[in-house]
């Protein structure tokens, strides 16, 4: 039981993982600034199925990163996940992108984990977790300044990770803060999170589920 296809497209990392009973069977990912998700996602899905010797009809559920993140990336991943779930009549599981990132700090000795995604300029998407990955502050889009997260690192240790950590590191310098700027959300990190939701039957409504954009999409146009 529990053959789950995991899709992560919220950032520049196009990532696919096939897992069964909380164990990775096959994975593919490519992190490129060109956002080639539309070309690679379905190829990666097929390659993972072939490597693990399964067919698409064997999949019990599809898990997708729900955001926040890249508007286009999220649309591609969620559209693919919903299409597969609808066609195969299987459940859809949504994984918060920032919890995916936070789970990569499980081995770090710290009081608080703050996963951050770059949201342009001096803004980031951020959530606050305790060391056991319990969410203690909801996700926000916030502008970074010298007062950011002070209530957490003033008397406790904080680990900030994700592609938004570099701009924070340039602003916040404190011995209670550690950084990991290289972390990207990955489908492999979704496996345990998705399996837990699958076991609890925490599924989304395939017809009405939408990505968690957090901010409205703004079309960027070139100046003449």
């Amino acid at each position: 039981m529990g053959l789950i296809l995991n899709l992560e497209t919220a950032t520049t990392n196009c990532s696919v993982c096939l897992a069964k009973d909380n164990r990775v069977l096959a994975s593919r990912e490519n992190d490129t600034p060109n956002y080639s998700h539309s070309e690679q996602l379905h190829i990666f899905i097929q390659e993972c199925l072939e490597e693990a010797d399964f067919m698409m009809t064997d999949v019990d559920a599809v898990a997708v990163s729900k955001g926040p993140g890249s508007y286009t990336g999220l649309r591609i991943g969620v559209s693919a996940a919903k299409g597969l779930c609808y066609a195969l009549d299987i459940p859809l599981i949504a994984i918060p992108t920032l919890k995916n990132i936070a789970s990569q700090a499980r081995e770090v000795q710290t009081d608080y984990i703050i996963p951050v995604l770059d949201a342009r300029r001096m803004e980031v998407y951020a959530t606050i977790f305790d060391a056991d990955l319990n969410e203690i502050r909801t996700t926000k889009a916030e502008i970074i300044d010298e007062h950011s997260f002070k209530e957490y690192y003033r008397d406790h240790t904080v680990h900030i990770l994700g592609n938004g950590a570099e701009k924070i590191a340039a602003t916040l310098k404190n011995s209670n803060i550690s950084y990991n700027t290289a972390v990207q959300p990955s489908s492999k990190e979704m496996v345990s999170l998705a399996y837990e939701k699958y076991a609890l039957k925490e599924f989304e409504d395939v017809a009405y589920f939408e990505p968690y954009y957090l901010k409205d999409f703004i079309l960027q146009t070139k100046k003449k």
Side-chain angles (χ1 to χ4, degrees), residues 67-128:
S70 157
Y71 183 93
T72 302
L74 289 170
R75 291 299 299 178
I76 292 170
V78 169
S79 295
K82 291 176 67 172
L84 291 170
C85 289
Y86 181 79
L88 299 169
D89 193 23
I90 57 177
L92 174 66
I93 300 169
I95 304 298
T97 306
L98 288 167
K99 190 166 187 177
N100 181 319
I101 296 174
S103 67
Q104 299 182 53
R106 286 191 183 97
E107 305 303 320
V108 177
Q109 297 298 312
T110 189
D111 296 316
Y112 296 112
I113 299 169
I114 306 180
V116 290
L117 282 174
D118 191 353
R120 305 291 177 88
R121 298 184 178 86
M122 282 306 293
E123 195 171 22
V124 298
Y125 302 123
T127 312
I128 315 294

Side-chain angles (χ1 to χ4, degrees), residues 51 54-56 81 107 109 117 140 162-163 166 173:
E51 180 180 325
F54 282 103
M55 300 177 64
M56 194 66 235
E107 305 303 320
Q109 297 298 312
L117 282 174
K140 293 181 180 180
N163 65 14
E166 186 172 355
K173 301 183 186 300

Side-chain angles (χ1 to χ4, degrees), residues 141-153:
E142 52 194 291
I143 297 173
I144 299 302
D145 60 29
E146 66 272 19
H147 303 295
S148 298
F149 312 123
K150 184 173 289 186
E151 66 269 37
Y152 299 101
Y153 70 76

Side-chain angles (χ1 to χ4, degrees), residues 22-52:
N22 209 18
R23 180 173 60 89
V24 174
L25 301 179
S27 65
R28 296 286 189 280
E29 60 183 20
N30 183 34
D31 188 358
T32 170
N34 296 325
Y35 279 100
S36 55
H37 303 358
S38 59
E39 294 86 5
Q40 294 182 322
L41 183 61
H42 289 282
I43 294 173
F44 285 176
I45 291 171
Q46 190 58 41
E47 288 179 351
C48 285
L49 289 166
E50 291 175 357
E51 180 180 325

Side-chain angles (χ1 to χ4, degrees), residues 56-221:
M56 194 66 235
T57 51
D58 295 319
V59 174
D60 295 305
V62 178
V64 67
S65 181
K66 74 174 187 178
S70 157
Y71 183 93
T72 302
L74 289 170
R75 291 299 299 178
I76 292 170
V78 169
S79 295
K82 291 176 67 172
L84 291 170
C85 289
Y86 181 79
L88 299 169
D89 193 23
I90 57 177
L92 174 66
I93 300 169
I95 304 298
T97 306
L98 288 167
K99 190 166 187 177
N100 181 319
I101 296 174
S103 67
Q104 299 182 53
R106 286 191 183 97
E107 305 303 320
V108 177
Q109 297 298 312
T110 189
D111 296 316
Y112 296 112
I113 299 169
I114 306 180
V116 290
L117 282 174
D118 191 353
R120 305 291 177 88
R121 298 184 178 86
M122 282 306 293
E123 195 171 22
V124 298
Y125 302 123
T127 312
I128 315 294
F129 294 90
D130 65 17
D132 296 318
L133 286 187
N134 298 306
E135 184 179 304
I136 62 172
R137 199 211 70 180
T138 188
T139 302
K140 293 181 180 180
E142 52 194 291
I143 297 173
I144 299 302
D145 60 29
E146 66 272 19
H147 303 295
S148 298
F149 312 123
K150 184 173 289 186
E151 66 269 37
Y152 299 101
Y153 70 76
R154 181 187 292 113
D155 300 312
H156 298 87
T157 55
V158 168
H159 186 65
I160 299 176
L161 71 167
N163 65 14
E166 186 172 355
K167 67 172 62 172
I168 300 175
T171 303
L172 301 181
K173 301 183 186 300
N174 187 283
S175 59
N176 284 341
I177 307 175
S178 61
Y179 293 96
N180 184 341
T181 62
V183 172
Q184 286 277 41
S186 169
S187 61
K188 289 179 286 187
E189 297 297 329
M190 294 172 63
V191 170
S192 60
L193 301 174
Y195 186 76
E196 180 180 358
K197 285 199 168 190
Y198 181 79
L200 295 172
K201 296 185 178 180
E202 294 183 5
F203 305 138
E204 304 295 329
D205 187 315
V206 175
Y208 295 102
F209 177 75
E210 290 291 333
Y212 179 46
Y213 296 121
L214 193 58
K215 293 199 302 182
D216 292 335
F217 174 68
I218 300 175
L219 179 63
Q220 300 291 330
T221 58

